[in-house]
Amino acid sequence: MTAELVRGQNHPLTRVRLEVRVSAGKPIVAAATLSDENGKIRGVEWVAHPGAPTLPGLEVSRQAAADHRLAVDLDAMPEAVHRVSVLLALPMGVGGPVRFGAVAAPFVAVTGLDGTEVASYTITGLEAESAVVALELYRRQGAWKVRAVGQGYADGLAELFTDQGLTEAQQLATGINEAVAQGLARSVQAPQARTADGGRSRQATAPAHGPDHGPAARTTPGHAAPDAASPYAAQGAQSGPSAGPADPSAGPQPSAPTAGGPIDYSHPARHTGAPPPPPPTAPPAQPGWPARPVAGDATGWSMDERLYNQVWGMFEDLARSTAAYRSAVDFADSRMEKELDQVLSDPRSRIGGQGDAAREAARTKHTQLVDQARQALDRDLAQLGAEADVVEPALPPAYARWDNPVWHAYRVPMEIPMAVRLGDLYLPESDPLRIPMLVRLPLERGLWIDSGRVGMLDETFADAHDLRRLGMETAVALAARLLAVYPAGEFTVHVIDPAGSAAQQLVPLVQNGVLAGPPALGAAGVSDVLARLTQRVDLVQMAMRGGAADSLPHDLDTAEQLLIVNDFPHGFDDRAVNQLRYLADEGPAVGVHLMMIADREEAAGYGPLLDPLWRSLLRLTPVPDDHLADPWVGHAWTYEPTLVPPHSQVLNQVLTQVAQARREWKR
């Protein structure tokens, strides 16, 4: 039975391997401190936080998120540790809430590895506080207990750490905020949370250990259903299920301004209320076997939404299954090290048959634990692989790879899809299983295609020219996909190519006539395009704030705008750089989006001036690179772009139809 704690109440812990689960509704930072019998932290090395998430017996999330799972192994704690304090804080400097009084009361639960709650605590009464000690696990007379604390601090983590006796409190708090900002920048944004009826129908893998805790023993993840990063990530509030019309029969809504009201950039096919249930699952192949996977096995108003939710459910399942495997391996490693240390600490067993037998027993147990964890992971991977085999062929064009046969039957859509595929994601343990990287439309963050070599996994691309070429090919493939999935006249693409170095890669867009105009060349071209788009953002913002959409110029293009910028910062003066930053910050809210192909090192001369720009954009790479994070566990996922197959004519065929539909729409 779960103990529902109130502030100051404690409860005994009968398990040593636990999870601390946190749910807050908004992204928060989860951390933990270790302290001695006097309640003092001995140094920054006793603090687990997103910048240093792992300590002996303790692991916290690597980024801010609405939901967290902290892994705790009390047996692996150093002998000097008598207290583990779980801390929650609001991320600073990222545009979110700055006090807990502005968010829902955080809920914290101590659970077993199977998800069974041991004790829970809802932290109420917070107002101006931006950091709080949620609860503590403490050792008393050889036994561990949990106590609900709920002590808040208005001055954030710095005040909290100071109160716990840490001399480097301010520096550590600053470092944590910087790590969180970097984590949000690289995180794939999770879908928005649904109502209780709106979650993924088949249940998400809990990070448990042992053969009985795979996908067959799942619990419904309320947090797993569709928030716009990530992953994509980082991390946009207008694209959730409640942002569209309530009447499913109303059909697509025009994005053009209507008299007397603001311009509506929300998704035209988004619905409110609980979605219909998923279709019946196919019967098992044989009695006792898992049910055969079915495409669309998730809730949603349409097949596209069901597939979207199913892909995100697979994404979370793989993240949590891998977390369970890695945690089990870490536990096996720490257990073996502890047993070997015990052998070495006894002079009588260091040498001779007794010591050898103890060391062999420790290694054997380690191998058994790792093998058991791998078997559980392999079972999960087999189930997810079978699901991917039926889901991938069923995906609509917006979600499909370029080599999917669905593109050969492509027709220009009549309404905007729910999401678009930007590439594929995978983990080292899951290769070759790929998860489609789907992000909501309209885009809520600009895209940065990194053409630099720093941190690249694939070192075969030593030539910077090749990386820039691949970066532009990736940008063209993404721009073509966006043009293809929007209805005619609903998406406009501009290109800035100051030196004309991308002329060859831009041929499909230019020759098919799908750009708003010829690529802008030179400093004058850069200035002209940026001035027009900046003016558009200003006009639409003023109209929206004043509720006077009908006062906009009649010739204003109300379609979503995408600006592709090649060779940045070549051709950009200080004014152009500031305009670019303005578009990155203010543009997405009014339908203006950036796609930059740039090497950050080449723009190093601007120093920290451009740091906010890089953080505001979702970084993608033209070659596989493990820089993206999921919003649940924070694994480093390898991103792989989805490019058009060599010698394929599918891109030209699709763009030809897009151009024809645009010409007919303009008549």
Side-chain angles (χ1 to χ4, degrees):
M1 182 177 178
T2 303
E4 297 182 2
L5 305 180
V6 297
R7 183 171 298 177
Q9 186 178 1
N10 61 40
H11 185 75
L13 297 174
T14 58
R15 310 185 187 194
V16 295
R17 300 189 65 202
L18 303 164
E19 283 186 347
V20 179
R21 304 189 180 190
V22 180
S23 179
K26 294 286 185 181
I28 62 172
V29 181
T33 60
L34 308 180
S35 50
D36 58 22
E37 56 189 358
N38 298 316
K40 299 299 181 183
I41 307 173
R42 295 191 176 180
V44 294
E45 65 275 7
W46 273 27
V47 182
H49 57 84
T54 304
L55 294 177
L58 178 64
E59 183 173 4
V60 303
S61 302
R62 290 167 170 79
Q63 62 195 43
D67 300 276
H68 292 272
R69 293 188 181 185
L70 285 65
V72 180
D73 183 356
L74 298 175
D75 270 356
M77 290 290 170
E79 291 296 328
V81 173
H82 285 258
R83 183 180 303 166
V84 180
S85 299
V86 176
L87 321 176
L88 306 179
L90 294 170
M92 297 290 107
V94 296
V98 295
R99 60 185 187 90
F100 274 109
V103 301
F107 174 79
V108 187
V110 179
T111 75
L113 297 181
D114 58 357
T116 303
E117 286 190 5
V118 178
S120 64
Y121 173 41
T122 301
I123 311 173
T124 58
L126 298 177
E127 289 296 336
E129 296 88 347
S130 59
V132 61
V133 179
L135 51 79
E136 60 184 17
L137 313 178
Y138 64 97
R139 186 174 0 214
R140 182 68 54 82
Q141 297 178 346
W144 286 90
K145 296 183 178 182
V146 57
R147 176 187 291 124
V149 180
Q151 175 64 51
Y153 297 85
D155 290 336
L157 287 172
E159 182 184 5
L160 187 156
F161 290 140
T162 300
D163 190 48
Q164 293 198 353
L166 190 62
T167 57
E168 306 95 330
Q170 185 61 56
Q171 298 93 315
L172 179 59
T174 300
I176 292 174
N177 285 328
E178 290 176 354
V180 169
Q182 293 173 3
L184 288 174
R186 72 187 187 93
S187 177
V188 174
Q189 189 149 0
Q192 289 185 349
R194 285 188 179 278
T195 61
D197 297 330
R200 173 162 155 80
S201 65
R202 73 181 189 80
Q203 299 167 333
T205 308
H209 313 286
D212 299 325
H213 299 293
R218 290 169 173 166
T219 57
T220 302
H223 56 277
D227 176 13
S230 150
Y232 308 102
Q235 326 57 18
Q238 295 181 4
S239 65
S242 62
D247 181 7
S249 64
Q253 302 297 312
S255 62
T258 55
I263 297 174
D264 182 12
Y265 282 99
S266 62
H267 192 287
R270 215 59 48 83
H271 304 280
T272 58
T281 303
Q286 294 184 19
W289 286 28
R292 290 194 298 266
V294 176
D297 183 16
T299 56
W301 291 101
S302 64
M303 188 60 174
D304 285 3
E305 186 173 2
R306 288 174 175 175
L307 287 167
Y308 171 84
N309 291 338
Q310 185 172 15
V311 168
W312 267 90
M314 293 166 60
F315 187 17
E316 182 182 13
D317 287 353
L318 182 54
R320 296 200 183 281
S321 291
T322 305
Y325 169 72
R326 292 180 179 179
S327 180
V329 172
D330 289 344
F331 170 73
D333 291 342
S334 63
R335 174 171 179 161
M336 183 177 70
E337 290 176 4
K338 187 174 183 179
E339 291 175 349
L340 292 177
D341 287 343
Q342 290 175 346
V343 172
L344 295 174
S345 65
D346 187 353
R348 295 170 297 178
S349 61
R350 289 179 185 171
I351 59 175
Q354 182 180 357
D356 292 341
R359 283 188 284 270
E360 183 61 28
R363 295 189 182 100
T364 300
K365 183 61 176 177
H366 175 271
T367 301
Q368 291 175 347
L369 290 173
V370 172
D371 289 346
Q372 185 181 25
R374 186 70 218 192
Q375 290 173 7
L377 177 63
D378 288 343
R379 184 186 63 243
D380 291 359
L381 292 178
Q383 181 174 338
L384 288 169
E387 187 171 10
D389 289 342
V390 299
V391 168
E392 190 71 46
L395 296 177
Y399 304 172
R401 297 174 59 91
W402 283 109
D403 57 2
N404 192 312
V406 71
W407 285 106
H408 296 290
Y410 168 78
R411 294 293 182 270
V412 176
M414 299 299 293
E415 61 180 33
I416 304 171
M418 189 172 197
V420 68
R421 185 175 190 156
L422 296 185
D424 293 330
L425 298 170
Y426 64 93
L427 293 169
E429 294 89 346
S430 68
D431 197 21
L433 177 62
R434 300 295 195 266
I435 301 295
M437 180 180 172
L438 303 182
V439 298
R440 288 289 187 101
L441 290 178
L443 297 174
E444 295 172 355
R445 295 174 67 185
L447 304 176
W448 164 31
I449 301 174
D450 189 355
S451 59
R453 287 172 288 178
V454 178
M456 288 287 183
L457 286 180
D458 191 343
E459 298 180 355
T460 61
F461 289 93
D463 189 345
H465 176 74
D466 285 344
L467 281 173
R468 283 195 291 269
R469 175 183 55 79
L470 284 171
M472 198 62 206
E473 289 177 358
T474 302
V476 169
L478 290 174
R481 179 182 291 269
L482 288 166
L483 283 165
V485 302
Y486 271 81
E490 292 293 322
F491 198 81
T492 303
V493 178
H494 310 263
V495 176
I496 290 178
D497 185 22
S501 59
Q504 182 178 355
Q505 290 76 43
L506 289 170
V507 165
L509 300 179
V510 174
Q511 288 190 349
N512 284 290
V514 293
L515 296 179
L521 302 174
V526 171
S527 177
D528 177 62
V529 172
L530 290 178
R532 285 189 284 111
L533 289 178
T534 301
Q535 182 185 43
R536 183 191 185 280
V537 171
D538 291 339
L539 289 172
V540 176
Q541 281 186 337
M542 288 188 291
M544 292 177 66
R545 291 167 184 165
D550 53 351
S551 66
L552 286 169
H554 69 278
D555 58 346
L556 181 76
D557 183 4
T558 59
E560 297 281 319
Q561 309 286 312
L562 176 68
L563 173 59
I564 302 176
V565 178
N566 187 40
D567 264 357
F568 178 81
H570 180 80
F572 283 75
D573 55 21
D574 290 345
R575 184 171 183 271
V577 169
N578 286 329
Q579 287 176 318
L580 200 65
R581 286 187 54 187
Y582 177 72
L583 292 178
D585 293 338
E586 305 294 335
V590 292
V592 178
H593 314 281
L594 282 183
M595 183 187 294
M596 293 181 57
I597 302 91
D599 180 356
R600 187 170 183 173
E601 292 299 310
E602 292 183 356
Y606 287 95
L609 174 68
L610 291 181
D611 286 350
L613 173 64
W614 305 123
R615 284 198 294 266
S616 69
L617 303 175
L618 177 62
R619 177 176 175 251
L620 305 177
T621 53
V623 295
D625 187 65
D626 60 345
H627 65 281
L628 290 175
D630 65 80
W632 305 285
V633 184
H635 293 313
W637 292 74
T638 297
Y639 166 81
E640 187 175 63
T642 302
L643 299 177
V644 179
H647 312 299
S648 173
Q649 295 300 312
V650 64
L651 186 62
N652 282 322
Q653 293 169 2
V654 169
L655 291 179
T656 298
Q657 292 196 45
V658 170
Q660 177 64 27
R662 285 165 60 92
R663 287 192 292 269
E664 294 176 356
W665 175 79
K666 290 179 180 179
R667 291 176 182 172

